[in-house]
Amino acid sequence: MPLEQQLQQYPDDQIALTILNLFQNVATNVPAYKKFLAAAGIQPDTIQTLEDFQNLPKINKENYISRYFLHELCYYGKIGGCDMIAASSGSTGKPTFWPRFFTDELQIATRFEQIFHDSFHADNKTTLAVVCFSLGTWVGGIFTTNCCRHLAVKGYPITVITPGNNKAEILRIVQELGSNFEQVVLLGYPPFLKDVIDTGIANGMQWGQYQIKLVMAGEVFSEEWRNLVAQRIGSQNPCHDFASMYGTADAGVLGNETPLSICIRRFLAATPEAAKALFGESRLPTLVQYDPCSRFFEVEEGNLLFSGNNGIPLIRYNILDNGGLITYEEMLKFLANWDFDPLKELGNYRGIHQLPFVYVFGRSNFTVSYFGANIYPENVTVGLEQPIIREWVTGKFVLQVKEDIDKNRFLSVVVELAPGIEVQEEKRLSITAAILTQLLRLNSEFANYVPPQYQTPLVELKSTGDVEYFPVGVKHRYTIK
């Protein structure tokens, strides 16, 4: 099916019918969900409208995924009905197994096609797709590989290679194979891709000759980060050379950045007052567009719920991500009130789809509270991405609130230095000033709640791979409670 037909604007009644049909299918054929509804005293045939659906109890890992046997969570109680099993990263506890089926990948491949077609024009450019996500049982690498290969089968001139997160092998691949293609796409987690790019530069690589594009997932990053990486790969058009995906091990890719969403986010990054008015927060979330008939979103008390068909189908699933929804029409109307027209700004209309937006802040438990102000890692990140500062650091840090000997609280930021950079007081003071400047600029709670004498963070510098704060090979956490 042509991409345009897959990315149409759906009428509300079609969306409602799709989600009600999914519910009835799951309620009838998934043993765990049948038991879950029975325990809640719900008869599936009473759910006839979208309003009925939105009154169903929420599910999550604790009350649903962890409570039933794995086979009970699958259609007809059979794991064998799926042809693959992946594992989550386990960042919030024990890794979870997620059975998949081939049709799940076909559905998610549309998100990849949207990026490769609309942003990268890979339908008519020979493209080397380098999968830099971890391979093995982890969901990212294998799933990404399969989706890219689906596009190749569909006729896209895409060649896939899978070094995983082997940095030396990625660099060798790009240098030895990249010149055979019109463009090279690196797919991986943002901090790792930046590390690959920086290592290449240190080794004398000229990234600009390979027409590099980036597909990312897993972390919120700032527009300063995007500008920095764009500069280092020689990108002149960040709206079309980058795309981030909002995905989970639970349900694959839920939404993706588009040239339109990136253009809007870059305006909001430069206009913090507009961002605060739109999102109600001082931090900038990930902003993506999504297909409501593929993944149906709801918002309850600031938490995102989604429903979708998978090897383990999920109904009103609470992944604990904070965020919200904005329709296409609402978004353009809001921006018009701020005298900004993203359609005019883009100029290139390829990939303008009238799909709704979902914005994602991430998990609420990744913030710290200081004098009643919520301090977000994203606020600190922008400070570390300022000119000169960004040359000294890797981008990793640990944010926490500590107490001194007199029990006075202070904001602590432990920062990882880039390889070869030594701890110096002059650098520490410059980093401190950059972080404080951005906290005051971006976080109105911090600026107004925290007394001036307590606003300056205590910055501590650590060498690359510090065992206590930045151990190698461990998924990094940016906050400690």
Side-chain angles (χ1 to χ4, degrees):
M1 182 185 298
L3 182 65
E4 290 293 337
Q5 293 181 25
Q6 299 175 65
L7 299 174
Q8 60 183 301
Q9 185 178 28
Y10 299 101
D12 291 343
D13 56 350
Q14 183 179 345
I15 296 172
L17 180 61
T18 299
I19 198 63
L20 289 170
N21 286 340
L22 173 65
F23 165 77
Q24 293 297 341
N25 189 21
V26 175
T28 301
N29 298 311
V30 176
Y33 198 63
K34 290 172 71 173
K35 293 180 180 179
F36 179 82
L37 292 177
I42 296 171
Q43 296 291 331
D45 58 6
T46 63
I47 308 301
Q48 298 293 325
T49 67
L50 189 58
E51 183 179 1
D52 295 336
F53 176 86
Q54 293 175 323
N55 286 321
L56 287 167
K58 300 181 290 291
I59 63 173
N60 54 43
K61 280 190 177 179
E62 288 69 35
N63 73 1
Y64 186 67
I65 301 299
S66 301
R67 183 167 293 185
Y68 299 97
F69 291 112
L70 186 60
H71 68 271
E72 293 182 292
L73 297 165
C74 301
Y75 280 110
Y76 312 109
K78 295 180 180 180
I79 297 178
C82 298
D83 58 16
M84 190 171 183
I85 297 177
S88 64
S89 65
S91 60
T92 57
K94 181 181 176 181
T96 304
F97 290 118
W98 296 97
R100 297 263 189 254
F101 191 64
F102 178 74
T103 52
D104 300 331
E105 292 173 0
L106 287 178
Q107 189 177 72
I108 299 304
T110 303
R111 309 275 72 75
F112 282 85
E113 183 174 9
Q114 192 175 358
I115 290 171
F116 275 80
H117 179 277
D118 294 346
S119 297
F120 303 160
H121 293 226
D123 54 320
N124 54 34
K125 288 185 178 181
T126 56
T127 302
L128 179 65
V130 185
V131 178
C132 307
F133 291 108
S134 299
L135 300 172
T137 59
W138 311 119
V139 66
I142 300 298
F143 207 80
T144 296
T145 301
N146 289 344
C147 287
C148 289
R149 293 193 72 190
H150 288 321
L151 298 186
V153 170
K154 191 172 181 178
Y156 284 72
I158 295 173
T159 301
V160 184
I161 190 165
T162 57
N165 58 353
N166 184 328
K167 184 165 62 173
E169 185 68 359
I170 294 166
L171 294 173
R172 185 178 75 87
I173 286 168
V174 174
Q175 289 176 297
E176 294 189 16
L177 298 178
S179 59
N180 295 291
F181 298 85
E182 293 176 85
Q183 61 184 354
V184 175
V185 179
L186 303 180
L187 303 100
Y189 296 114
F192 179 72
L193 292 183
K194 180 179 179 295
D195 185 27
V196 169
I197 291 161
D198 290 347
T199 302
I201 292 172
N203 293 339
M205 279 184 67
Q206 301 295 320
W207 287 102
Q209 66 180 301
Y210 302 111
Q211 298 300 310
I212 297 294
K213 308 291 188 289
L214 300 182
V215 176
M216 300 155 293
E219 293 190 23
V220 179
F221 53 83
S222 69
E223 290 305 316
E224 284 84 357
W225 185 94
R226 200 189 312 258
N227 289 338
L228 169 62
V229 175
Q231 176 189 346
R232 292 183 180 177
I233 63 175
S235 167
Q236 301 298 316
N237 193 347
C239 288
H240 284 85
D241 293 344
F242 292 73
S244 183
M245 290 183 158
Y246 173 34
T248 71
D250 319 56
V253 178
L254 303 172
N256 55 278
E257 281 192 325
T258 62
L260 177 62
S261 73
I262 295 172
C263 180
I264 293 170
R265 191 174 190 262
R266 291 173 71 77
F267 165 75
L268 295 170
T271 319
E273 302 85 1
K276 181 72 180 290
L278 183 61
F279 302 125
E281 295 265 13
S282 64
R283 50 182 174 156
L284 194 64
T286 295
L287 179 66
V288 302
Q289 290 183 277
Y290 71 98
D291 178 350
C293 280
S294 173
R295 296 291 183 264
F296 179 75
F297 277 102
E298 304 169 73
V299 181
E300 277 195 7
E301 299 176 347
N303 285 325
L304 292 170
L305 313 179
F306 66 83
S307 303
N309 205 12
N310 307 279
I312 295 179
L314 299 170
I315 301 294
R316 307 200 77 227
Y317 185 73
N318 185 0
I319 198 175
L320 303 179
D321 276 342
N322 297 138
L325 307 175
I326 307 170
T327 68
Y328 179 86
E329 293 79 10
E330 288 171 343
M331 178 66 83
L332 293 189
K333 181 179 179 180
F334 172 86
L335 295 171
N337 290 333
W338 287 83
D339 297 321
F340 181 68
D341 183 353
L343 303 182
K344 182 178 179 180
E345 184 76 16
L346 279 173
N348 181 348
Y349 283 84
R350 189 179 204 184
I352 304 298
H353 304 290
Q354 296 184 22
L355 295 172
F357 295 83
V358 56
Y359 59 90
V360 190
F361 290 113
R363 308 289 166 84
S364 58
N365 59 347
F366 290 170
T367 65
V368 299
S369 180
Y370 185 55
F371 286 89
N374 286 319
I375 311 297
Y376 307 103
E378 295 90 334
N379 299 154
V380 176
T381 294
V382 176
L384 297 179
E385 290 166 351
Q386 298 305 303
I388 301 178
I389 303 296
R390 62 199 187 194
E391 309 297 335
W392 303 337
V393 301
T394 66
K396 289 183 181 179
F397 60 90
V398 175
L399 173 67
Q400 56 189 315
V401 175
K402 292 184 174 181
E403 290 183 346
D404 63 19
I405 194 169
D406 292 322
K407 301 299 181 183
N408 294 315
R409 305 187 87 201
F410 64 93
L411 193 63
S412 165
V413 186
V414 182
V415 177
E416 183 182 44
L417 292 172
I421 302 298
E422 297 181 355
V423 176
Q424 294 179 345
E425 181 64 9
E426 181 182 354
K427 286 185 173 64
R428 191 188 72 82
L429 293 175
S430 296
I431 291 170
T432 300
I435 292 173
L436 177 59
T437 297
Q438 298 306 320
L439 280 171
L440 291 169
R441 182 178 78 89
L442 297 170
N443 193 322
S444 58
E445 285 188 357
F446 177 86
N448 290 285
Y449 294 0
V450 182
Q453 64 269 32
Y454 290 100
Q455 288 180 345
T456 302
L458 180 62
V459 172
E460 187 177 358
L461 306 181
K462 296 289 184 181
S463 299
T464 307
D466 180 84
V467 176
E468 181 181 1
Y469 285 97
F470 309 105
V472 177
V474 177
K475 191 166 185 178
H476 184 64
R477 286 186 65 100
Y478 287 89
T479 59
I480 296 177
K481 296 295 185 183

